[in-house]
Amino acid sequence: MIVVVGNLKGGTGKSTTVFNLALWHAHHKGDGAVCDLDPQATLRDAIDVRNEEEFEPRLDVRAKLPTRKSGPILVDVGMWDTPAMRAALRRADRVLIPVAPSQADVWSTQRFLEIVADATKGKKSPALYAFISRADTHPGSRENEEAAEALGSIPGLNLLDSRLSQRIAFRRSFSEGLAVFELEPSGKAASELSALAQEVFGASA
Ligand SMILES: Nc1ncnc2c1ncn2[C@@H]1O[C@H](COP(=O)(O)OP(=O)(O)OP(=O)(O)O)[C@@H](O)[C@H]1O
Ligand SMILES: [Mg+2]
């Protein structure tokens, strides 16, 4: 199964999501592969840190999509509309879109969906999922619900119930080459990630 994680907006948590979901799958199901198609190579950098520290399980990062699929492959396509992004979208079984809670992010999600439709023209469309990433933890904030409402009204897009909130644990763990549930197994970030993984991998996990 190929899961492309994308969005035209920068900094929404694409690389963080790919890294944590792949490690969740590696821990729970024994395999998990990632592919970094983003010229920024942030994902590759985090995995280099992990592998230098010799944390287990090791995660190998590919620069190209493999020709044959086995277990799930999480693909970080970055935020640029590149031929590599479009090629990955054509191969995708699922597209997962982390969306920060703002109107600008909802607009860029709509634009990204147009690219997905264009790239997969004449093919069966991949299943399209979005979730609120870097959700506002401030009590009383309306941003999360407003973004969720706007995303929920986009035809063909499945809005997941799970959210990843804006939490220091996500930033710290990533820079140390660890998944959030490895750094703080009983933290709130770990339970958010676990809920997201179960929704994303669904029956195939
Ligand atoms: N849920 C979160 N809580 C706190 N910080 C986060 C969260 N998700 C991501 N970050 C931080 O925000 C920054 C951007 O995250 P990340 O690199 O995953 O985003 P991206 O969408 O891949 O960015 P780009 O578009 O540049 O590739 C990083 O410093 C990361 O640690
Ligand atoms: Mg990135």
Side-chain angles (χ1 to χ4, degrees), residues 128-132 147-149 151-152 157-161 163 199:
L128 305 171
Y129 299 94
F131 71 96
I132 305 283
E149 201 178 312
L151 291 171
L157 180 65
N158 302 290
L159 177 63
L160 300 178
D161 292 330
R163 294 175 183 176
E199 272 199 282

Side-chain angles (χ1 to χ4, degrees), residues 47-184:
I47 293 174
D48 283 350
V49 171
R50 179 180 184 84
N51 291 341
E52 273 160 29
E53 295 290 335
E54 301 184 359
F55 295 138
E56 293 289 339
R58 271 184 72 90
L59 206 51
D60 288 318
V61 56
R62 301 157 194 254
K64 277 189 182 160
L65 272 183
T67 46
R68 292 176 55 202
K69 312 184 226 175
S70 46
I73 301 159
L74 279 293
V75 189
D76 185 348
V77 289
M79 62 171 177
W80 313 106
D81 179 5
T82 59
M85 174 196 270
R86 286 174 176 256
L89 288 170
R90 277 193 294 280
R91 299 255 330 263
D93 300 293
R94 297 180 189 179
V95 175
L96 178 64
I97 312 173
V99 186
S102 83
Q103 184 57 54
D105 284 84
V106 172
W107 285 328
S108 73
T109 301
Q110 284 165 320
R111 196 141 298 134
F112 180 62
L113 288 170
E114 287 167 17
I115 290 174
V116 177
D118 190 49
T120 58
K121 217 163 28 196
K123 275 195 85 246
K124 186 170 171 279
S125 173
L128 305 171
Y129 299 94
F131 71 96
I132 305 283
S133 174
R134 311 192 68 170
D136 199 344
T137 52
H138 192 269
S141 159
R142 292 274 312 132
E143 306 272 293
N144 298 336
E145 300 321 315
E146 282 169 7
E149 201 178 312
L151 291 171
S153 68
I154 298 177
L157 180 65
N158 302 290
L159 177 63
L160 300 178
D161 292 330
S162 314
R163 294 175 183 176
L164 301 186
S165 300
Q166 178 68 24
R167 300 188 189 281
I168 289 165
F170 283 108
R171 197 184 350 258
R172 242 190 63 216
S173 55
F174 191 65
S175 63
E176 291 180 20
L178 290 167
V180 275
F181 52 84
E182 293 172 323
L183 184 72
E184 289 180 11

Side-chain angles (χ1 to χ4, degrees), residues 11 13-16 36 38 40-43 76 78-79 174:
K14 297 177 289 294
S15 303
T16 303
D36 191 358
D38 183 353
Q40 283 189 99
T42 310
L43 178 65
D76 185 348
M79 62 171 177
F174 191 65

